[in-house]
């Protein structure tokens, strides 16, 4: 694969995301995540998956420049649904998937992390959904998963202000399991993953399945509506201005159109 590599250590597939400089989520990278799941699903040597980013970030978000190649709302909705499909597959995967987050997990990067079963972070990590800053909305089920973890009020704060929270705050808010120093993040995550890998695969699969019953009944309706809204917002003049401003590294001027 071009963007993913992994090695297996005591039942744990340690997967590295490498798409310099910020591990931005292109459609190619998202498709490789799907291929990864295909590759390890029936591999008895893999009991648990740990995702982490190479370099300075877990993932700083979706590849905004890739959006400039898409023109219609229907195309944007299709793009959103592809990400939603892959991330939903992670959440319902038969083996535990753990995100080890350092640097930043923003936008699509956080949406990827939220689809994992557990999240361990560094104390100084930055987690956020800054899409509204670009005149957009989260499109990979972020509007639906974030309230499940932190509640509607805090989810609204994170999305409306576009301000990220620290790893320590993420633990306090219920978005992450535990926070560690930069040096301890991956070794401690692997230690926990190896402990989980010793559990019965049958029981783990059943536990993951039962966790799905904790979802609100409207979750699937919500992600479907999110994809349609994602497409509508992306063809607005404000979204075009937000994307162009991001590329040009300037403040956007939104006009409500």
């Amino acid at each position: 694969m071009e963007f993913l590599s992994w090695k297996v250590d005591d039942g744990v597939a340690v997967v590295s995301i490498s798409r310099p400089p910020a591990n931005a989520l292109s459609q190619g990278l998202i498709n490789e995540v799907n291929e990864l799941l295909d590759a390890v699903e029936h591999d008895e040597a893999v009991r648990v998956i740990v995702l982490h980013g190479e370099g300075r970030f877990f993932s700083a978000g979706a590849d905004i420049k890739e959006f400039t190649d898409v023109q219609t709302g229907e195309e944007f909705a299709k793009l959103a649904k592809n990400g939603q499909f892959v991330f939903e597959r992670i959440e319902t995967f038969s083996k535990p998937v753990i995100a080890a987050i350092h640097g930043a997990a923003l936008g699509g990067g956080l949406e990827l992390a939220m689809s994992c079963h557990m999240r361990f972070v560094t104390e100084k990590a930055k987690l956020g959904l800054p899409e509204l800053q670009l005149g957009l909305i989260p499109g990979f089920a972020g509007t639906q998963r974030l309230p499940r973890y932190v509640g509607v009020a805090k989810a609204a704060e994170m999305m409306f202000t576009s301000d990220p929270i620290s790893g320590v705050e993420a633990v306090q808010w219920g978005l992450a399991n535990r926070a560690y120093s930069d040096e301890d993040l991956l070794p401690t995550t692997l230690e926990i993953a190896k402990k989980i890998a010793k559990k019965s695969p049958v029981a783990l699969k059943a536990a993951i399945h039962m966790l799905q019953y904790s979802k609100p009944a409207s979750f699937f309706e919500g992600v479907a509506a999110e994809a349609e809204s994602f497409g509508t917002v992306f063809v607005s003049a404000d979204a075009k201005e937000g994307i162009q401003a991001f590329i040009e590294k300037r403040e956007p001027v939104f006009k409500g159109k």
Side-chain angles (χ1 to χ4, degrees), residues 85-160:
F85 168 79
V86 174
F87 293 178
E88 180 66 17
R89 190 176 175 200
I90 293 173
E91 187 170 44
T92 60
F93 199 58
S94 59
K95 302 176 182 184
V97 184
I98 302 171
I101 302 168
H102 73 290
L106 302 174
L110 180 57
E111 290 175 296
L112 169 60
M114 287 193 294
S115 72
C116 297
H117 302 112
M118 302 170 69
R119 283 156 298 284
F120 298 109
V121 298
T122 60
E123 296 164 346
K124 296 180 180 179
K126 297 297 181 183
L127 293 80
L129 294 179
E131 285 87 350
L132 267 72
Q133 188 170 311
L134 304 178
L136 312 175
I137 65 168
F140 299 147
T143 65
Q144 304 302 299
R145 285 197 176 93
L146 185 60
R148 286 167 46 195
Y149 292 121
V150 305
V152 174
K154 285 186 170 64
E157 178 182 340
M158 288 180 67
M159 287 191 289
F160 294 174

Side-chain angles (χ1 to χ4, degrees), residues 130-201:
E131 285 87 350
L132 267 72
Q133 188 170 311
L134 304 178
L136 312 175
I137 65 168
F140 299 147
T143 65
Q144 304 302 299
R145 285 197 176 93
L146 185 60
R148 286 167 46 195
Y149 292 121
V150 305
V152 174
K154 285 186 170 64
E157 178 182 340
M158 288 180 67
M159 287 191 289
F160 294 174
T161 67
S162 298
D163 294 334
I165 61 175
S166 69
V168 171
E169 289 174 309
V171 174
Q172 294 171 342
W173 287 23
L175 184 54
N177 294 77
R178 303 179 190 180
Y180 301 103
S181 67
D182 289 3
E183 296 76 16
D184 290 340
L185 174 66
L186 197 54
T188 306
T189 300
L190 291 178
E191 181 180 340
I192 294 170
K194 289 178 182 180
K195 180 179 181 180
I196 295 171
K198 294 178 180 179
K199 301 292 192 296
S200 161

